[in-house]
């Protein structure tokens, strides 16, 4: 197995002043990458700002002989994202990889969530990822090479109580990356999604707001996974996905207690109704087991056309083979 190097590569890590992002930035710098350490230095739910967090990570990288600059802009604005990309170009001349890691949190029941809560989370996670991808895209496209690793979450991809705003924003990140993976592939821009798990100030904030029963359950789980809840246990996957060794795109991966896995968006083989008469609700009820049956396998379509090809490949296609223009 050859070493994965970031020599001559330039990486932007957003929200890299602490937690997971710091671990990613240090690991890429250790492997020779020049790193833009972005962080606005705010609190875990968003407000405030300080240059200290990003500066401290840059100092650590420089002290170890690496290359890095700090940036304190917010990914949540288009102007901020443009300044982050411009800082990378000015300092290092190119952008090879973008790690969309910046994030904030609101943890509360849906009934207590306001439109402000939703906007606060959408603007950092989803709009921030959109802004940053858009800001680096022309540079990656021009050089015919790029790696974008964006951060989703099990709370969004699987769902959990009290994460309605966060889950919506994080699932949106996956939706955005699924499309950018299509648009980037011809230009050598690979887009993948990472679902990390680590003890950070964000999970501390969630624990502080959990009910006693949930805290006990969470502590028992943490005790079982021990050290593997350190942010460093997630860095290997992110570094791989951000490197030239990675050839995969349009994928979602989970890093959980040292276990790495691909997360699938899939459809069952399903039940094929009539192609002449619409299925009635009673037909659906009669075939519900078939519709939801996992035993006959799961398809993982990569696009709407892909799903149509799967459906049309079954018996009695309405469009004969070779004539489908999807
Ligand atoms: P964290 O709070 O330590 O890190 C998030 C960083 O993003 C902070 O340093 C913060 O200052 C920065 N940030 C916030 N808003 C920003 C903005 N607008 N512009 C630039 N920087 C901004 O939390 P973390 O746990 O390290 O989270 C990192 C990422 O991983 C987040 O996207 C989070 O949602 C995601 N995540 C974390 C976990 C986990 O278990 N910790 C699980 C799933 C997903």
């Amino acid at each position: 197995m050859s070493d994965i190097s970031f020599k001559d590569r330039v990486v932007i890590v957003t929200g890299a002043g602490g937690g997971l992002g710091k671990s990613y930035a240090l690991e890429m710098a250790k492997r020779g990458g020049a790193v833009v350490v972005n962080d606005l230095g705010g609190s875990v739910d968003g407000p405030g700002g300080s240059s200290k967090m990003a500066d401290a990570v840059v100092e650590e990288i420089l002290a170890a002989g690496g290359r890095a600059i700090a940036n304190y802009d917010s990914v949540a604005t288009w102007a901020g994202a443009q300044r982050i990309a411009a800082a990378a170009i000015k300092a290092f001349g190119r952008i090879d990889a973008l790690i969309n890691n910046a994030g904030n949190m609101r943890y509360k029941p849906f009934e207590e969530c306001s439109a402000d809560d939703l906007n606060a989370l959408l603007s950092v996670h989803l709009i921030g990822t959109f802004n940053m991808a858009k800001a680096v895209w022309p540079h990656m496209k021009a050089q015919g090479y790029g790696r974008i690793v964006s951060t989703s979450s099990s709370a969004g991809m699987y769902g959990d109580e009290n994460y309605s705003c966060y889950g919506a924003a994080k699932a949106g990140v996956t939706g955005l990356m699924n499309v950018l993976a299509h648009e980037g592939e011809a230009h050598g821009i690979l887009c993948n999604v990472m679902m990390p798990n680590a003890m950070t100030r964000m999970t501390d904030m969630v624990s502080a707001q959990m009910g006693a029963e949930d805290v006990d359950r969470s502590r028992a789980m943490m005790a079982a996974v021990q050290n593997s809840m350190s942010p460093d246990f997630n860095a290997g996957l992110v570094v791989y996905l951000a490197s030239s060794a990675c050839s995969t795109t349009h994928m979602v991966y989970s890093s959980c207690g040292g276990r790495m896995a691909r997360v699938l968006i899939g459809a069952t083989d399903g039940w094929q109704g009539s192609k002449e008469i619409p299925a009635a609700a009673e037909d659906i009820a009669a075939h519900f087991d078939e519709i939801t049956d996992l035993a006959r396998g799961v398809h993982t379509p990569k696009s709407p056309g892909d799903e149509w090809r799967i459906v049309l490949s079954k018996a009695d296609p309405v469009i004969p083979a070779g004539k489908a223009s999807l």
Side-chain angles (χ1 to χ4, degrees), residues 150-160 163-164 166-178 193-196 250-254 262-266:
S150 297
T151 309
S152 188
S153 165
S154 47
M157 296 297 289
Y158 306 148
D160 203 356
Y163 285 108
S164 53
Y166 183 76
K170 284 307 206 187
V173 167
T174 302
L176 173 61
M177 285 302 121
N178 284 344
V193 171
M194 154 75 168
M195 292 162 41
H250 201 174
M251 298 283 172
V252 180
Y253 298 97
S254 157
R262 182 183 160 197
V263 175
L264 307 175
I265 297 175

Side-chain angles (χ1 to χ4, degrees), residues 12-22 25 36-44 46-58 69-75 84 101-103 124 201:
I12 297 173
V13 186
T14 69
L20 287 155
K22 175 181 176 182
V36 176
V37 177
N38 157 264
D39 205 300
L40 54 58
S43 66
V44 71
S50 152
S51 56
K52 281 190 190 149
M53 290 176 75
D55 284 346
V57 176
V58 169
I69 58 161
N71 171 281
Y72 322 112
D73 282 299
S74 172
V75 299
I84 299 167
N101 167 78
V124 178
R201 66 177 201 169

Side-chain angles (χ1 to χ4, degrees), residues 226-251:
Q226 294 179 343
N227 296 341
S228 58
M229 283 307 283
S230 135
D232 293 350
F233 275 75
N234 300 270
L237 178 56
V238 169
V239 166
Y240 171 71
L241 294 174
S243 75
S244 57
C246 171
S247 57
T248 181
T249 191
H250 201 174
M251 298 283 172

Side-chain angles (χ1 to χ4, degrees), residues 252-297:
V252 180
Y253 298 97
S254 157
S255 161
C256 186
R259 190 286 337 253
M260 309 296 159
R262 182 183 160 197
V263 175
L264 307 175
I265 297 175
T268 61
D269 202 44
W271 166 70
Q272 177 66 61
S274 162
K275 287 171 180 158
E276 310 293 332
I277 308 159
E282 290 77 8
D283 298 321
I284 303 298
H287 293 281
F288 211 68
D289 286 350
E290 243 180 292
I291 292 169
T292 55
D293 180 21
L294 291 171
R296 284 177 295 125

Side-chain angles (χ1 to χ4, degrees), residues 10-14 78 81-82 84-86 88-89 94-100 129-143 145-149 177 180 189 191:
V10 178
V11 185
I12 297 173
V13 186
T14 69
W78 172 229
Q82 283 178 298
I84 299 167
I89 297 294
R94 56 188 285 128
I95 302 166
D96 295 290
L98 163 67
I99 316 300
N100 282 310
T129 298
F130 176 93
N131 286 338
M132 284 307 304
K134 208 166 166 57
V136 303
W137 198 264
H139 302 287
M140 291 182 171
K141 193 172 165 182
Q143 70 202 9
Y145 177 93
R147 300 284 182 270
I148 300 180
V149 185
M177 285 302 121
L180 296 197
I189 306 173
C191 302

